[in-house]
């Protein structure tokens, strides 16, 4: 009996997004899984055609398919539109932002054995977008932290740790200063941690100290769970530890849908130049394959990508290589095509 193709929403995005999405689609098509891509457009160009950078059919497609992979989308500065990325996460209840940071052989970095997983709360904190002017010369942004969202993200971090054989979860906060909001986040993490005490170690760190420790001793840490803003900043720091934004993948996961995307943005200055590094989006595709239950295919794609990076002959300029986005993808596809066929493990 023929198996059903795996239907996935594909959002090419802005700037370098379309070329990275194309490279990623080609690599995932070579993984042995039969994908049926539903391509939908979001981003700057949609403002002229739809009056919004996030047309409703995009959300409908993701709700229908339950899974999407997305190129970066430019946030127009001061044009009156909220970030498409933040809106997507909130509209679809994608409450957990998972950002693994793992060293890759062949990249020049300070450490060669970093293996961290950042779990960032994705729906509240200062990203709730509640801002107003207080008179003409002062502005106020409101930081929202709730027990429900904090316990939910802590549970996600511990469940991830258990499912992936991780030993420790560290909660990151500034509860010494923001005693109520960050205090509630920390208290919620402690409550959830108590239920996992026999399986996963728990500790907490103040965010500034955490940044210093990650730069000096990243091997001391494993899974980090953070409120939205610290998660955004600390995950870029961790990306820097393993080779930069070009290699940092991410996943936004909710109860009913998941959207996979690189940590980096649309890097407009490189748009259309066949220069951008597709690694981060391809690794986001690897996270998507695992999420869909295709562990073997995920393993194969990741191995092929890591081999090409380690060899260094077909990587992009940011990794010190001579190749373009397309040629980088070609090398990964060639490696996948030469390998053993795999069984789909849905
Ligand atoms: P950026 O991540 O787009 O680029 C910063 C720099 O990092 C680039 O100039 C480039 O030197 C490097 N870089 C990033 N990705 C790379 C890649 N794949 N290959 C090689 N080099 C790469 O950050 P920015 O310039 O601050 O943001 C540009 C736009 O992207 C903004 O509108 C921002 O709002 C948006 N953005 C979108 C997302 C998203 O869609 N999830 C995330 C972050 C930023």
């Amino acid at each position: 009996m023929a198996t059903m193709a795996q239907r996935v929403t594909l959002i090419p995005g802005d700037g370098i997004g379309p070329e990275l999405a194309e490279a990623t689609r080609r690599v995932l098509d070579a993984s042995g899984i039969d994908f049926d891509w539903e391509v939908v457009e979001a981003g700057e160009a949609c403002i002229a055609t739809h009056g919004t950078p996030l047309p409703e059919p995009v959300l409908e497609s993701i709700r229908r398919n339950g899974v999407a992979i997305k190129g970066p989308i430019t946030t127009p500065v001061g044009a009156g539109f909220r970030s498409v990325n933040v809106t997507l996460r909130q509209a679809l209840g994608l409450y957990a932002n998972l950002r693994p940071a793992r060293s890759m052989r062949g990249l020049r970095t300070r450490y060669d054995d970093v293996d961290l997983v950042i779990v960032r709360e994705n729906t509240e904190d200062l990203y709730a977008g509640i801002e107003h002017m207080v008179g003409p010369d002062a502005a106020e942004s409101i930081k929202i932290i709730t027990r429900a969202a904090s316990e939910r993200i802590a549970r996600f971090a511990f469940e991830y740790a258990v499912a992936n054989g991780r030993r420790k979860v560290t909660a990151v906060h500034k509860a010494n200063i923001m005693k109520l909001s960050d205090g509630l986040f920390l208290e919620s993490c402690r409550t959830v941690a108590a239920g996992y005490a026999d399986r996963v170690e728990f500790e907490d760190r103040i965010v500034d100290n955490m940044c210093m420790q990650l730069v000096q001793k990243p091997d001391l840490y494993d899974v980090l769970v953070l409120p939205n803003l610290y998660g955004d900043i600390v995950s870029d720091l961790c990306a820097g530890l393993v080779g930069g934004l070009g290699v940092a993948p991410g996943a936004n996961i909710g109860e009913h849908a998941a959207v996979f995307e690189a940590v980096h943005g649309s890097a407009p200055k490189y748009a259309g130049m066949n220069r951008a590094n597709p690694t981060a989006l391809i690794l986001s595709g690897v996270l998507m394959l695992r999420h869909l239950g295709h562990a073997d295919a995920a393993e194969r794609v990741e191995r092929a990508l890591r081999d090409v990076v380690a060899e260094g002959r077909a990587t992009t300029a940011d990794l010190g290589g001579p190749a373009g986005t397309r040629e980088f993808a070609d090398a990964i596809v060639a490696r996948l095509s030469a390998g053993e066929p795999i069984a789909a493990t849905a």
Side-chain angles (χ1 to χ4, degrees), residues 70 72-75 85 245 261 263-267 269-270 276-277:
K70 157 183 174 300
I73 291 179
T74 302
T75 302
N85 310 303
L245 283 175
E261 63 177 341
V263 171
H264 65 72
S266 57
K269 69 179 176 194
Y270 294 141
N277 184 352

Side-chain angles (χ1 to χ4, degrees), residues 152-285:
R152 184 173 60 171
I153 198 66
R155 211 168 297 115
F156 182 96
F158 277 95
E159 283 299 318
Y160 180 92
V162 170
N164 293 278
R166 296 275 173 167
R167 67 194 152 85
K168 183 166 76 172
V169 171
T170 305
V172 184
H173 60 88
K174 189 84 184 171
N176 53 329
I177 301 298
M178 277 158 280
K179 293 178 191 297
L180 296 183
S181 53
D182 281 18
L184 180 57
F185 179 80
L186 177 57
E187 182 192 319
S188 305
C189 290
R190 284 187 175 138
T191 304
V192 172
Y196 293 84
D198 55 335
R199 288 165 288 169
V200 184
E201 200 185 318
F202 175 71
E203 64 182 8
D204 70 276
R205 291 282 181 276
I206 293 173
V207 62
D208 37 358
N209 175 31
M210 185 79 235
C211 289
M212 185 203 68
Q213 298 228 7
L214 283 170
V215 170
Q216 286 199 317
K217 305 176 237 175
D219 53 307
L220 292 185
Y221 298 95
D222 191 349
V223 177
L224 311 180
V225 60
L226 313 90
N228 209 338
L229 180 62
Y230 310 144
D232 193 9
I233 297 166
V234 171
S235 59
D236 267 32
L237 185 157
C238 292
L241 289 175
V242 297
L245 283 175
V247 301
N252 301 287
I253 299 173
E255 298 285 341
H256 307 293
V259 176
F260 296 83
E261 63 177 341
V263 171
H264 65 72
S266 57
K269 69 179 176 194
Y270 294 141
M273 294 171 70
N274 192 37
R275 273 193 66 153
N277 184 352
T279 300
L281 197 57
I282 294 171
L283 285 176
S284 305

